[in-house]
Amino acid sequence: MLNLIKVNVLTFFDLHKLINAKTNKEFFYAIARLLFLLLLLSFFSISIYKIIEPNIKEYKEAEILFIILGQYMAIISSFLIASNIQKIDDLLFKFKDYNLLFSLPIKKHKIFLSKLITLYIFNMIYTIVFMISPYIIYVRNSDVSIYFHIIYFITLFIIPLVPIMISTILGIIFTTISNLFKERKIINLMLTLIMFLFMLAFSYNMFSNTKETVDDAMELLDTFNKMYPLTKLYVEILIYNNMKSLILFILIPIILFIIYILIINKFHTKIYNLINNYKTKKLLKLKFNKHSKIISLYNKELKTYTSSNMYVMNTTLGSILFTIIVFLYIFLDKDDLTSIIGNINLRYIIENYAPILMGSFCLLNSTTASSISMEKRTINIIKSLPIKRSTLYLSKIMVNMTVSIPFIILNGTLLNYYLNPNNYIKTMMYVTPILYQLNISMLGLYLNLKYPSYEYKSDVQIIKQSIPAIFTLIIGVFMAVSPFSNMKVKIPSNFFVWIHTTRIIFYNLILFLCLLFNKSYKKDD
């Protein structure tokens, strides 16, 4: 089983490409990818530190700094649940090498446990990255004993257990419910989206409650505990050295996890059949519609895109978040909005630079960064078709635009109605975000053409961990933040929108030329 775990971990994180690199180029790409992953995780951890930092003085004066430990333990648990729901099917029940592994003389429970341990390791990485900042802040601002350090890191290994169990149950329930409908993928996506929004609201409650009830720490702790059990136990262990709480905190998740393993292992085949048993039409009707090449390719790309919930969720996150921000802006007053987003003057930015802000969130949506790699089995067939590269590129970009434009129209219309800006801004409320979305679409496509990857066992590797996906995200975030890096200087709205829209048009022309003269996607590859 250790060999299976080793293989799973190496392939899941693409470390096998580093170990088995045949050329210096392959080795360099593997190192670069690993370094970027580490930098991304470091950036994430530093961002959490920056979020907590403004409240440190207030917490210390009220002597309730320990609240951040329970608060962030509950938040990482909710994050793991939302994140795992998208992965649970692919990692535990629908993994690509399912038939191959179960045909080998290996006991089924060993295969399942190896996959489960891989998922646990993945969750542990997130947990450590997320919880290291509260740990550093608390240690630097409090007198702690050796016991605290030891127990803190022991409890880190317990935190992911409950989220894995909850996400597995929810994942099975969502898939089973969606299988009752013909449009099962849409139903599953809707259920996953609802869960994501629920977890987002849960995290918001964590932050907003902290700022509202700072005078009564224990009541606040009880509030956290109602939202997520074990929170109060966790704080009692670290702050009051409560051995009874420590025993309960360790035993309850471990016992439940053992029961979970036994049940899943025993009914693994039945669960596999259950989640793969979906309705089909009783009578197969072959219907041929004659379409142009571009429409046919577009339909194929759209079908590939909607076949993976993880693909959809990760490439619509920016649009969903901005839609939430727009509704918060409309329905909340200034103080409530400030309590959610902190010291950032978001209301001022929305009221003066809304087209650029909306475009910045569009830079977080790139379906094209994974679109070439997602071809995998059909790549040779597509290359053999009598179609131009430009037609294929356009079909992939069209999918990205199809996903984002409805959000742009919705948010642009709402903001135009409530802000009532001048005619230029009203027009750019639609034009600018579309240009931004076109930019990230071409960038993601270009990077995926330069660095395609067809050797993967899970969609997670391509959608979240591939070089094109990471590069596109980093560049997108940088481009999204850069226009608002210096808000001390007040720039007229029209000029601000014009200059940044012109900038993105210039970038689009460069990317268009890069795609036009790109030779990476050749028929003899």
Side-chain angles (χ1 to χ4, degrees):
M1 190 172 74
L2 290 175
N3 287 331
L4 280 174
I5 295 170
K6 179 182 176 181
V7 170
N8 286 333
V9 172
L10 290 176
T11 54
F12 189 80
F13 297 102
D14 276 352
L15 295 176
H16 66 293
K17 293 181 179 179
L18 179 63
I19 297 171
N20 302 318
K22 296 179 181 179
T23 63
N24 290 334
K25 186 178 179 180
E26 290 180 358
F27 182 79
F28 171 76
Y29 285 156
I31 287 288
R33 182 184 172 281
L34 185 61
L35 288 175
F36 269 107
L37 276 174
L38 292 174
L39 286 173
L40 199 62
L41 292 174
S42 300
F43 173 78
F44 185 58
S45 186
I46 292 169
S47 299
I48 295 170
Y49 188 96
K50 293 295 183 182
I51 291 173
I52 305 173
E53 195 174 29
N55 299 317
I56 294 176
K57 185 178 180 180
E58 182 183 2
Y59 292 169
K60 283 184 68 177
E61 289 176 355
E63 297 183 351
I64 60 164
L65 189 61
F66 62 85
I67 283 296
I68 64 172
L69 301 176
Q71 179 184 16
Y72 279 84
M73 190 278 279
I75 292 174
I76 183 58
S77 298
S78 64
F79 173 81
L80 292 178
I81 292 171
S83 177
N84 287 339
I85 287 175
Q86 302 177 51
K87 305 183 186 77
I88 211 73
D89 282 358
D90 287 339
L91 290 178
L92 296 185
F93 302 108
K94 292 183 179 179
F95 40 92
K96 306 288 183 181
D97 51 357
Y98 183 93
N99 293 327
L100 174 63
L101 286 175
F102 278 87
S103 65
L104 297 174
I106 305 174
K107 293 182 179 180
K108 290 184 178 180
H109 75 273
K110 290 185 177 181
I111 297 173
F112 167 69
L113 285 175
S114 68
K115 297 291 183 181
L116 185 61
I117 291 171
T118 304
L119 179 63
Y120 174 78
I121 292 171
F122 186 82
N123 279 255
M124 269 304 304
I125 292 172
Y126 270 130
T127 303
I128 292 171
V129 168
F130 205 98
M131 294 299 293
I132 196 70
S133 293
Y135 167 76
I136 293 172
I137 287 174
Y138 188 79
V139 169
R140 289 181 63 183
N141 293 276
S142 304
D143 294 326
V144 296
S145 62
I146 297 296
Y147 171 86
F148 176 87
H149 298 286
I150 296 171
I151 297 302
Y152 190 87
F153 285 99
I154 289 176
T155 54
L156 286 183
F157 291 91
I158 304 298
I159 290 173
L161 297 181
V162 173
I164 288 174
M165 289 184 282
I166 295 174
S167 58
T168 303
I169 294 169
L170 290 175
I172 294 171
I173 292 172
F174 287 178
T175 307
T176 304
I177 292 173
S178 61
N179 285 346
L180 299 175
F181 302 88
K182 291 179 181 178
E183 300 297 333
R184 67 187 192 284
K185 292 175 183 176
I186 296 176
I187 299 298
N188 201 339
L189 177 61
M190 289 175 61
L191 292 171
T192 305
L193 180 59
I194 291 170
M195 177 54 62
F196 170 78
L197 294 175
F198 174 78
M199 291 302 175
L200 196 65
F202 173 83
S203 298
Y204 158 66
N205 284 333
M206 287 294 182
F207 288 109
S208 61
N209 283 338
T210 300
K211 295 178 181 179
E212 292 171 6
T213 57
V214 74
D215 296 330
D216 196 343
M218 295 313 297
E219 183 180 340
L220 177 59
L221 194 59
D222 289 334
T223 303
F224 289 167
N225 196 55
K226 290 176 183 177
M227 293 180 180
Y228 184 75
L230 304 179
T231 305
K232 193 172 183 178
L233 287 176
Y234 183 71
V235 174
E236 288 176 351
I237 294 166
L238 297 174
I239 306 306
Y240 304 115
N241 300 335
N242 192 318
M243 291 304 298
K244 181 181 177 181
S245 297
L246 176 62
I247 294 170
L248 289 174
F249 185 83
I250 293 175
L251 284 183
I252 292 174
I254 288 178
I255 292 173
L256 290 175
F257 200 70
I258 292 172
I259 296 171
Y260 158 82
I261 291 173
L262 293 174
I263 293 173
I264 298 293
N265 182 57
K266 183 176 181 179
F267 299 102
H268 187 274
T269 304
K270 291 184 178 180
I271 294 172
Y272 174 83
N273 293 330
L274 179 66
I275 64 178
N276 286 281
N277 181 29
Y278 50 85
K279 281 189 173 183
T280 55
K281 293 182 179 180
K282 294 181 180 179
L283 180 62
L284 180 64
K285 295 181 180 180
L286 297 178
K287 186 178 180 180
F288 298 94
N289 294 320
K290 188 174 181 180
H291 295 297
S292 63
K293 292 179 182 179
I294 184 65
I295 296 300
S296 298
L297 283 171
Y298 169 76
N299 289 334
K300 183 195 75 68
E301 291 294 331
L302 197 59
K303 185 177 180 181
T304 302
Y305 174 70
T306 55
S307 65
S308 172
N309 283 351
M310 186 184 301
Y311 198 3
V312 175
M313 287 296 297
N314 278 273
T315 53
T316 56
L317 185 60
S319 295
I320 292 171
L321 288 176
F322 187 73
T323 303
I324 293 171
I325 288 173
V326 170
F327 277 92
L328 290 176
Y329 169 79
I330 293 172
F331 293 108
L332 295 183
D333 59 32
K334 183 178 179 180
D335 293 336
D336 290 335
L337 189 62
T338 302
S339 70
I340 297 173
I341 50 87
N343 296 324
I344 302 172
N345 196 353
L346 186 60
R347 181 171 287 274
Y348 174 82
I349 295 173
I350 291 175
E351 291 173 353
N352 291 274
Y353 313 131
I356 303 301
L357 183 62
M358 195 192 312
S360 297
F361 276 89
C362 287
L363 291 174
L364 304 179
N365 306 330
S366 179
T367 64
T368 53
S370 309
S371 60
I372 298 294
S373 299
M374 289 291 284
E375 301 287 357
K376 196 175 181 180
R377 297 177 182 176
T378 61
I379 188 67
N380 291 325
I381 297 174
I382 293 171
K383 288 182 178 182
S384 66
L385 295 175
I387 54 175
K388 296 180 180 179
R389 289 200 307 270
S390 58
T391 305
L392 177 67
Y393 298 167
L394 181 59
S395 68
K396 293 181 180 296
I397 292 172
M398 284 170 62
V399 170
N400 208 159
M401 303 306 290
T402 300
V403 172
S404 297
I405 285 178
F407 286 100
I408 293 171
I409 294 173
L410 171 64
N411 293 323
T413 303
L414 287 172
L415 290 174
N416 277 337
Y417 177 79
Y418 282 94
L419 296 177
N420 193 25
N422 59 58
N423 291 332
Y424 174 74
I425 297 296
K426 283 182 179 178
T427 304
M428 301 312 288
M429 201 75 78
Y430 304 105
V431 174
T432 300
I434 290 175
L435 290 171
Y436 268 73
Q437 189 61 68
L438 182 61
N439 177 267
I440 204 67
S441 300
M442 290 193 289
L443 176 64
L445 180 58
Y446 178 74
L447 291 174
N448 202 193
L449 287 166
K450 296 294 289 184
Y451 310 106
S453 176
Y454 306 115
E455 299 176 6
Y456 60 93
K457 293 184 179 180
S458 171
D459 291 347
V460 180
Q461 294 172 266
I462 294 301
I463 297 167
K464 289 188 173 183
Q465 301 171 5
S466 64
I467 288 178
I470 295 172
F471 267 87
T472 304
L473 178 62
I474 292 173
I475 296 172
V477 170
F478 176 78
M479 290 175 63
V481 173
S482 59
F484 309 103
S485 58
N486 187 10
M487 283 288 97
K488 293 180 180 179
V489 179
K490 306 300 182 182
I491 304 174
S493 300
N494 286 12
F495 180 72
F496 186 89
V497 172
W498 176 81
I499 195 170
H500 288 291
T501 302
T502 304
R503 176 178 63 96
I504 214 70
I505 291 173
F506 176 71
Y507 293 158
N508 285 350
L509 289 174
I510 294 175
L511 286 169
F512 174 77
L513 292 174
C514 290
L515 289 173
L516 185 64
F517 295 104
N518 176 67
K519 302 297 181 183
S520 302
Y521 198 77
K522 297 184 291 186
K523 292 183 183 295
D524 57 349
D525 280 352

XYZ file of all heavy atoms in Angstrom, residues 298-327:
244
model
N -17.326 24.510 -31.015
C -17.824 25.240 -29.842
C -18.719 24.343 -28.988
O -18.572 24.306 -27.754
C -18.594 26.476 -30.294
C -19.375 27.156 -29.192
C -18.735 27.937 -28.236
C -20.756 27.006 -29.112
C -19.451 28.554 -27.227
C -21.480 27.618 -28.105
C -20.827 28.391 -27.158
O -21.543 28.988 -26.155
N -19.615 23.611 -29.623
C -20.498 22.689 -28.886
C -19.692 21.609 -28.174
O -20.001 21.237 -27.036
C -21.505 22.053 -29.833
C -22.554 23.039 -30.317
O -22.843 24.026 -29.640
N -23.123 22.800 -31.485
N -18.653 21.104 -28.851
C -17.801 20.084 -28.233
C -17.056 20.657 -27.030
O -16.970 20.013 -25.973
C -16.801 19.547 -29.262
C -15.908 18.419 -28.735
C -14.741 18.165 -29.623
C -13.686 19.236 -29.489
N -13.023 19.209 -28.149
N -16.526 21.854 -27.187
C -15.798 22.500 -26.094
C -16.712 22.781 -24.903
O -16.327 22.590 -23.748
C -15.181 23.823 -26.579
C -14.050 23.672 -27.565
C -12.836 23.007 -26.974
O -12.608 23.143 -25.754
O -12.107 22.344 -27.718
N -17.920 23.219 -25.196
C -18.877 23.520 -24.131
C -19.264 22.253 -23.375
O -19.405 22.266 -22.146
C -20.124 24.179 -24.724
C -21.044 24.929 -23.751
C -20.293 26.044 -23.034
C -22.248 25.478 -24.491
N -19.400 21.151 -24.103
C -19.731 19.870 -23.473
C -18.582 19.408 -22.576
O -18.808 18.924 -21.456
C -20.023 18.824 -24.547
C -20.495 17.496 -23.987
C -20.845 16.521 -25.111
C -21.312 15.184 -24.533
N -21.635 14.210 -25.611
N -17.344 19.555 -23.062
C -16.174 19.194 -22.253
C -16.103 20.047 -20.998
O -15.818 19.565 -19.898
C -14.877 19.377 -23.073
O -14.943 18.568 -24.243
C -13.658 18.987 -22.253
N -16.382 21.332 -21.163
C -16.314 22.272 -20.039
C -17.340 21.924 -18.960
O -17.008 21.887 -17.768
C -16.544 23.686 -20.555
C -16.638 24.733 -19.477
C -15.517 25.101 -18.737
C -17.850 25.353 -19.177
C -15.593 26.052 -17.743
C -17.932 26.309 -18.188
C -16.805 26.652 -17.469
O -16.896 27.592 -16.477
N -18.566 21.675 -19.358
C -19.635 21.404 -18.378
C -19.582 19.986 -17.810
O -20.347 19.662 -16.904
C -21.015 21.636 -19.023
O -21.129 20.838 -20.215
C -21.216 23.094 -19.368
N -18.689 19.150 -18.324
C -18.596 17.782 -17.824
C -17.902 17.704 -16.468
O -17.965 16.680 -15.792
C -17.845 16.896 -18.832
O -16.497 17.310 -18.957
N -17.232 18.775 -16.063
C -16.511 18.777 -14.793
C -16.974 19.936 -13.920
O -16.799 21.104 -14.276
C -15.000 18.888 -15.049
O -14.292 19.086 -13.852
N -17.567 19.607 -12.772
C -18.005 20.657 -11.835
C -16.834 21.493 -11.346
O -16.947 22.712 -11.166
C -18.710 20.019 -10.637
C -20.117 19.578 -10.983
O -20.627 19.885 -12.046
N -20.740 18.837 -10.090
N -15.710 20.837 -11.114
C -14.534 21.550 -10.640
C -14.061 22.570 -11.675
O -13.674 23.691 -11.337
C -13.401 20.567 -10.337
C -12.191 21.206 -9.698
S -10.860 20.037 -9.487
C -11.664 18.828 -8.448
N -14.108 22.164 -12.945
C -13.724 23.040 -14.044
C -14.605 24.298 -14.045
O -14.119 25.428 -14.142
C -13.872 22.264 -15.359
C -13.138 22.827 -16.553
C -12.319 23.946 -16.466
C -13.251 22.227 -17.798
C -11.650 24.445 -17.558
C -12.575 22.701 -18.909
C -11.783 23.817 -18.781
O -11.120 24.310 -19.880
N -15.906 24.088 -13.916
C -16.862 25.203 -13.935
C -16.673 26.106 -12.719
O -16.589 27.338 -12.841
C -18.310 24.674 -13.994
C -19.306 25.833 -13.897
C -18.542 23.892 -15.272
N -16.577 25.510 -11.525
C -16.477 26.303 -10.297
C -15.207 27.148 -10.267
O -15.226 28.314 -9.860
C -16.515 25.373 -9.083
C -17.883 24.782 -8.807
S -19.118 26.046 -8.375
C -18.435 26.686 -6.863
N -14.101 26.570 -10.699
C -12.826 27.283 -10.636
C -12.692 28.362 -11.695
O -11.871 29.267 -11.543
C -11.668 26.288 -10.767
C -11.341 25.599 -9.468
O -10.574 26.081 -8.655
N -11.955 24.447 -9.251
N -13.475 28.271 -12.755
C -13.367 29.255 -13.832
C -14.522 30.257 -13.838
O -14.628 31.071 -14.753
C -13.297 28.548 -15.204
O -14.402 27.641 -15.330
C -12.008 27.767 -15.343
N -15.373 30.194 -12.829
C -16.432 31.202 -12.683
C -16.335 31.923 -11.336
O -17.178 32.750 -11.011
C -17.835 30.558 -12.797
O -17.955 29.503 -11.827
C -18.067 29.997 -14.183
N -15.293 31.605 -10.582
C -15.162 32.139 -9.225
C -15.124 33.657 -9.212
O -15.772 34.308 -8.392
C -13.905 31.567 -8.560
C -13.685 31.926 -7.093
C -14.854 31.428 -6.244
C -12.386 31.345 -6.589
N -14.344 34.252 -10.129
C -14.238 35.713 -10.176
C -15.575 36.373 -10.433
O -15.937 37.356 -9.764
N -16.329 35.844 -11.390
C -17.641 36.412 -11.716
C -18.623 36.261 -10.560
O -19.400 37.168 -10.261
C -18.201 35.731 -12.971
O -17.395 36.021 -14.095
N -18.582 35.103 -9.905
C -19.481 34.859 -8.765
C -19.163 35.814 -7.621
O -20.063 36.419 -7.022
C -19.382 33.394 -8.300
C -19.951 32.450 -9.366
C -20.126 33.192 -6.977
C -19.706 30.987 -9.085
N -17.874 35.970 -7.320
C -17.476 36.863 -6.230
C -17.882 38.307 -6.516
O -18.366 39.012 -5.617
C -15.962 36.772 -6.017
C -15.435 35.491 -5.371
C -13.912 35.518 -5.315
C -16.008 35.297 -3.977
N -17.686 38.751 -7.771
C -18.052 40.138 -8.078
C -19.570 40.325 -8.022
O -20.055 41.375 -7.595
C -17.536 40.548 -9.458
C -17.737 42.013 -9.744
C -16.948 42.952 -9.116
C -18.736 42.449 -10.602
C -17.135 44.321 -9.353
C -18.937 43.799 -10.848
C -18.126 44.738 -10.212
N -20.320 39.323 -8.445
C -21.783 39.400 -8.347
C -22.221 39.541 -6.893
O -23.117 40.332 -6.572
C -22.436 38.152 -8.969
O -22.000 38.016 -10.335
C -23.953 38.238 -8.939
N -21.562 38.789 -6.002
C -21.856 38.898 -4.568
C -21.536 40.305 -4.068
O -22.304 40.902 -3.303
C -21.054 37.842 -3.777
C -21.551 36.434 -4.134
C -21.170 38.084 -2.271
C -20.689 35.330 -3.574
N -20.396 40.846 -4.507
C -19.995 42.200 -4.106
C -21.024 43.239 -4.569
O -21.377 44.167 -3.828
C -18.597 42.537 -4.669
C -17.532 41.741 -3.917
C -18.309 44.035 -4.563
C -16.145 41.865 -4.495
N -21.514 43.079 -5.797
C -22.513 44.011 -6.334
C -23.779 43.982 -5.482
O -24.332 45.031 -5.125
C -22.845 43.676 -7.807
C -24.056 44.478 -8.284
C -21.648 43.982 -8.702
N -24.238 42.799 -5.123
C -25.453 42.682 -4.310
C -25.214 43.225 -2.891
O -26.113 43.837 -2.302
C -25.922 41.232 -4.262
C -26.740 40.827 -5.455
C -26.144 40.255 -6.561
C -28.110 41.048 -5.490
C -26.892 39.899 -7.678
C -28.873 40.702 -6.587
C -28.264 40.123 -7.687
